[in-house]
Amino acid sequence: MTVGGHSDVAFTGTVPAAYDRYLVPLLFEPYAEDLARRAARQAPGNILEIAAGTGVVTRHLAEALPEARITATDLNPDMLAFVRPLENERIAVSVADAQALPFADKLFDLIVCQYGYMFVPDRALAYREAARVLRPGGQILFNVWDDIADNDAANAVNLALAEAFPDDPPRFLERGPFSYHDHALIEAELTAAGFDDIAIERVEMESQVADPRGAVDGFIKGNPLAAELSERDPVAVAAAYDRARQHIADKLRLGPLGMAALVVSAIAQRG
């Protein structure tokens, strides 16, 4: 997916390592635990994970559902390199595009996706593919970020970038991770793809920020935003880093940093 001249799904090169080191504990771990708990309530036997990233949800699913078979997929091989050590007789890892899933019809009981569908260029196609590979009555379960204004750490970085580049601020965070939180749109897209019983729940948590420097490194180096900034004036980029760290430090003095996501579930139409 290329937006504004930049590939917004290219989690490649050094990005996966920074993503795993900084963003997983900062943002993704608590929501991964939450998704795994919700998945366990369905007692699925065969799970497809889309946009597995570096495997935080895969690990929690394996722990919560020790009898289930898990197929963990991602578009980026560099991300999946972190997941491959988990492979065993019940965990398979493969590169796959959510818009063209290489699996048979009606194969899975549950699809799980953490923070992936906002990056898919053609969500209508991806949701139809999800409905195709789910058995009738199977469930899709995923989360997406709520508005960036409700996510303190991300918002602090975004504001710092806007201050450092007032004439042409980098917009990756807004157009990518924090772009898909319209409840009506989500429901309409899932309904059109063949899903029923759609539920959307807003879940608030606290970012686990131990150090502002690591948090900023995660948001900038652990995302395709790094490639976008590599084209900018390095002096201004350094100033943006400093501004972002200061914004996060200032917020931390007021208390924990909040974050908010939408957890979405829907059932593949029966019959």
Side-chain angles (χ1 to χ4, degrees), residues 35 111-115 117 127 140-144 180 186 190 262-266:
L35 278 183
I111 290 176
V112 177
C113 178
Q114 174 158 262
Y115 303 119
Y117 278 117
Y127 288 148
I140 186 171
L141 173 67
F142 65 92
N143 54 15
V144 291
Y180 187 47
I186 295 169
L190 286 168
L262 306 179
V263 178
V264 183
S265 64

Side-chain angles (χ1 to χ4, degrees), residues 32-247:
E33 293 177 6
D34 179 68
L35 278 183
R37 283 194 298 269
R38 293 169 187 264
R41 295 174 196 155
Q42 309 304 316
N46 198 9
I47 303 170
L48 172 63
E49 184 185 358
I50 290 172
T54 57
V56 61
V57 174
T58 314
R59 292 191 295 272
H60 284 288
L61 287 171
E63 293 170 4
L65 291 153
E67 302 300 321
R69 177 170 176 78
I70 301 166
T71 302
T73 69
D74 198 280
L75 189 63
N76 292 287
D78 289 355
M79 296 288 270
L80 287 179
F82 287 77
V83 192
R84 291 203 181 278
L86 301 176
E87 282 190 293
N88 56 36
E89 66 279 359
R90 67 184 189 90
I91 299 176
V93 179
S94 65
V95 175
D97 185 342
Q99 301 165 120
L101 294 172
F103 305 111
D105 295 357
K106 302 178 182 179
L107 181 62
F108 297 100
D109 304 309
L110 175 69
I111 290 176
V112 177
C113 178
Q114 174 158 262
Y115 303 119
Y117 278 117
M118 65 276 273
F119 292 110
V120 175
D122 190 339
R123 283 192 302 271
L125 179 56
Y127 288 148
R128 288 198 300 271
E129 278 290 275
R132 177 184 66 79
V133 302
L134 280 171
R135 63 171 176 79
Q139 184 184 69
I140 186 171
L141 173 67
F142 65 92
N143 54 15
V144 291
W145 292 113
D146 205 349
D147 194 287
I148 194 169
D150 298 320
N151 287 273
D152 291 337
N155 198 39
V157 173
N158 201 49
L159 290 173
L161 292 171
E163 291 166 2
F165 302 96
D167 296 329
D168 182 24
R171 297 293 188 188
F172 168 76
L173 293 177
E174 293 177 51
R175 71 174 182 258
F178 297 91
S179 65
Y180 187 47
H181 47 78
D182 184 310
H183 291 220
L185 176 61
I186 295 169
E187 184 168 352
E189 290 180 340
L190 286 168
T191 299
F195 287 95
D196 291 322
D197 300 328
I198 299 164
I200 302 175
E201 179 184 349
R202 188 174 189 269
V203 179
E204 296 182 5
M205 294 192 183
E206 293 180 358
S207 297
Q208 304 303 304
V209 179
D211 169 42
R213 181 177 297 273
V216 175
D217 283 349
F219 277 106
I220 293 180
K221 296 179 181 180
N223 274 312
L225 178 59
E228 187 173 351
L229 287 178
S230 70
E231 303 169 4
R232 306 285 183 126
D233 173 24
V235 174
V237 170
Y241 268 83
D242 290 341
R243 285 173 181 266
R245 291 165 187 150
Q246 189 59 54
H247 282 326

Side-chain angles (χ1 to χ4, degrees), residues 239-257:
Y241 268 83
D242 290 341
R243 285 173 181 266
R245 291 165 187 150
Q246 189 59 54
H247 282 326
I248 290 178
D250 290 344
K251 283 185 170 293
L252 281 172
R253 281 193 285 271
L254 301 176
L257 275 60

